[in-house]
Amino acid sequence: MKRDGTSELDVFYPVRSECQADVPKTRFKLRAGKTLSARRWNSAFSQDGHLDIAKVLRRIQRGGVHPSIKGVVWEFLLGCFDPNSTFEERRQLRERRREQYWTWKSECQKMVPVIGSGKLITAPIIADSGQTIENSSTQSDLQEQNGGQVNNAVSDKKVTHWKQALHQIGLDVVRTDQTLVFYESQTNQAKLWDVLAIYAWMDNDIGYIQGMSDICSPMIILLEKEEDAFWCFEHAMRRLRENFRCSTSSIGVQAQLSTLSQIIKVIDPKLHQHLEDLDGGEYLFAFRMLMVLFRREFSFVDALYLWELIWAMEYNPNIFSSYEASTNAGDNSVAPEINEKLLQQFGKFERRNVKTGNIERHRALAVFLVASILETKNKRLLKEAKGLDDVVRIVGDVTGNLDAKRACKEALKIHKKYLRKASKS
């Protein structure tokens, strides 16, 4: 690792020359002895492949993950794999998942052959009535690309709804992380579009919602194989998908916004009352931060660093088994009894939650991170904010000016303060 830790990052995530002046300054630096390196990562495995996750979590919480191994480390943080499994068990699981992905992709290709072609759709291909839009330029391209007819059969509402989402996915993809050299390639854009399109087909409940491309994009960059990137994204969405559940009467992050309101009311009642007086007591100004996990508030590199800090601090060693149990309805496996040794395999944040019994899902570290931001802006908000526009402006000033590690440390302090005060009330 280079001592300054900055020039090396440029090799992994190069920014287009014309965009250099427009991107936020990256604060994250690779630090020898603190950042999880490839050497430290490889040494954390036993001979047959068992991972010392406690050791890995400590290193990540100190200095993040080196870009060369970020993707494979994320697979463990997100619960794709069990640290207690062997190399061979993980190889077999990876192969099964890859086969499942290609089965779904094959289904989707039969309905819309552009999937897997290296191209993407940005114009509607189907009307609300279910009729194919014949004059779509995309349809013409597809027929030429595939040397024949586009499969226009629309069998049910699911297919119609999915096809209607494809052009919106495309429009979002061409706007996602466009400052990066990686997405100058249409092949890479198409890979992101394919993964999101197949996820939308697979997720019958929520499908695709704007903002998901911001979550998926880093996985496409970090993991070489498209199918591995899909499963990494799918596991990230298991944590975040409720953020995207919207209806005519509610928004996905409503539970987290309600928790944020409760936290500020407990730790800083004066600020909470001021926001209430400004008609901001629902904390909707924090909607974007929570929905896409601070992608807009940090540079690309710093956002990735923040995510791995959050996931390491929230890590629960039972995450893999709980996901497998939810996937396999007949799995009646019981989580192991928590003892002091097992507690060391939890991240800092989750360990404290387990010890205090505070395990409500919407009390995520991200919510306390927003609370810590509000606390740093306390004086300005009380003095300058005369309306919601002022609140949005003051809170928005953090964009590009946040240090991920410091923000997480402050969030942990807010968490501890909240638990202490809440227990007394």
Side-chain angles (χ1 to χ4, degrees):
M1 279 183 211
K2 299 187 179 179
R3 190 168 295 275
D4 67 4
T6 53
S7 57
E8 193 172 352
L9 292 169
D10 297 334
V11 175
F12 288 93
Y13 316 114
V15 175
R16 293 162 58 180
S17 56
E18 67 271 25
C19 301
Q20 296 278 354
D22 300 324
V23 298
K25 179 184 176 183
T26 294
R27 293 168 177 266
F28 172 66
K29 293 182 180 181
L30 299 170
R31 299 184 186 277
K34 291 189 176 181
T35 302
L36 178 65
S37 65
R39 183 180 65 82
R40 291 274 187 178
W41 170 249
N42 291 328
S43 70
F45 289 93
S46 67
Q47 191 171 358
D48 65 352
H50 291 85
L51 176 64
D52 186 344
I53 192 66
K55 184 178 180 180
V56 168
L57 293 176
R58 286 195 298 271
R59 179 68 62 166
I60 296 172
Q61 290 166 159
R62 287 177 66 192
V65 182
H66 192 278
S68 63
I69 56 169
K70 203 177 284 283
V72 292
V73 175
W74 281 19
E75 288 181 312
F76 281 89
L77 292 181
L78 291 169
C80 297
F81 297 115
D82 184 357
N84 292 318
S85 60
T86 65
F87 289 127
E88 177 59 23
E89 287 169 339
R90 291 195 293 275
R91 186 194 66 78
Q92 292 178 16
L93 177 56
R94 191 184 291 279
E95 286 305 312
R96 288 198 299 273
R97 285 178 176 159
R98 286 175 175 175
E99 289 175 9
Q100 176 62 76
Y101 176 77
W102 287 107
T103 297
W104 283 328
K105 188 166 185 176
S106 178
E107 289 176 11
C108 294
Q109 283 176 316
K110 288 175 183 176
M111 294 181 287
V112 179
V114 73
I115 290 173
S117 71
K119 295 186 176 183
L120 62 159
I121 289 172
T122 56
I125 61 171
I126 190 169
D128 291 340
S129 62
Q131 295 297 310
T132 299
I133 300 176
E134 296 293 347
N135 62 353
S136 166
S137 59
T138 304
Q139 294 283 15
S140 301
D141 289 345
L142 284 176
Q143 289 181 4
E144 183 179 339
Q145 171 82 17
N146 290 279
Q149 296 298 309
V150 179
N151 185 347
N152 293 327
V154 179
S155 58
D156 56 30
K157 289 182 180 179
K158 177 187 175 180
V159 177
T160 302
H161 182 71
W162 175 70
K163 285 189 175 183
Q164 288 172 335
L166 294 179
H167 81 282
Q168 183 59 61
I169 297 174
L171 290 172
D172 290 347
V173 164
V174 298
R175 292 191 291 252
T176 302
D177 291 326
Q178 287 307 296
T179 60
L180 299 178
V181 171
F182 183 86
Y183 284 116
E184 286 184 312
S185 161
Q186 188 186 55
T187 300
N188 291 334
Q189 288 186 345
K191 190 186 293 186
L192 175 58
W193 183 75
D194 283 353
V195 167
L196 289 168
I198 292 159
Y199 179 82
W201 174 250
M202 180 275 299
D203 188 333
N204 295 322
D205 189 18
I206 294 178
Y208 176 80
I209 303 293
Q210 282 184 280
M212 289 183 181
S213 60
D214 290 304
I215 306 299
C216 187
S217 170
M219 283 76 169
I220 300 296
I221 296 172
L222 297 175
L223 289 159
E224 183 180 353
K225 287 192 174 290
E226 175 187 320
E227 53 269 46
D228 295 340
F230 170 87
W231 285 108
C232 191
F233 170 64
E234 191 270 345
H235 278 70
M237 286 304 299
R238 293 191 189 207
R239 305 169 69 101
L240 300 170
R241 70 194 296 274
E242 291 305 312
N243 289 3
F244 295 91
R245 187 187 296 279
C246 299
S247 68
T248 54
S249 59
S250 66
I251 57 175
V253 295
Q254 199 133 37
Q256 290 190 336
L257 293 175
S258 297
T259 300
L260 176 61
S261 173
Q262 179 186 354
I263 292 167
I264 298 298
K265 188 174 182 179
V266 169
I267 66 167
D268 194 341
K270 186 176 180 181
L271 176 59
H272 177 76
Q273 187 58 54
H274 182 60
L275 293 172
E276 283 261 296
D277 293 342
L278 298 177
D279 201 24
E282 293 185 346
Y283 291 76
L284 291 173
F285 52 82
F287 170 86
R288 189 183 71 182
M289 290 183 185
L290 293 171
M291 187 164 186
V292 295
L293 213 57
F294 302 92
R295 273 300 311 269
R296 302 290 192 278
E297 285 68 36
F298 290 85
S299 70
F300 180 81
V301 173
D302 287 340
L304 269 54
Y305 176 41
L306 175 72
W307 287 5
E308 61 206 21
L309 283 177
I310 289 175
W311 295 336
M313 290 179 180
E314 289 184 334
Y315 186 79
N316 185 316
N318 300 320
I319 184 174
F320 173 82
S321 57
S322 66
Y323 285 164
E324 290 299 293
S326 65
T327 303
N328 306 316
D331 188 343
N332 296 316
S333 56
V334 178
E337 185 177 337
I338 295 174
N339 53 38
E340 197 58 39
K341 183 179 179 181
L342 185 60
L343 268 177
Q344 297 311 305
Q345 298 177 28
F346 285 79
K348 288 181 184 178
F349 179 79
E350 188 67 7
R351 190 183 307 141
R352 187 182 293 160
N353 284 335
V354 170
K355 284 181 175 180
T356 60
N358 181 51
I359 56 175
E360 292 180 53
R361 186 150 188 158
H362 51 263
R363 289 182 179 173
L365 181 56
V367 181
F368 290 92
L369 209 153
V370 177
S372 73
I373 290 171
L374 293 177
E375 280 298 274
T376 61
K377 299 292 181 182
N378 172 294
K379 291 181 180 178
R380 283 191 64 195
L381 287 167
L382 291 173
K383 184 178 180 180
E384 299 177 26
K386 309 299 180 186
L388 275 181
D389 288 345
D390 295 328
V391 174
V392 172
R393 173 179 55 80
I394 293 168
V395 174
D397 286 347
V398 302
T399 300
N401 295 312
L402 283 173
D403 179 277
K405 189 170 185 178
R406 188 176 297 125
C408 283
K409 281 185 176 180
E410 291 303 313
L412 289 174
K413 289 179 184 177
I414 295 291
H415 180 231
K416 188 174 183 179
K417 183 179 178 180
Y418 170 74
L419 291 179
R420 187 178 68 248
K421 290 199 168 191
S423 67
K424 294 178 180 177
S425 59

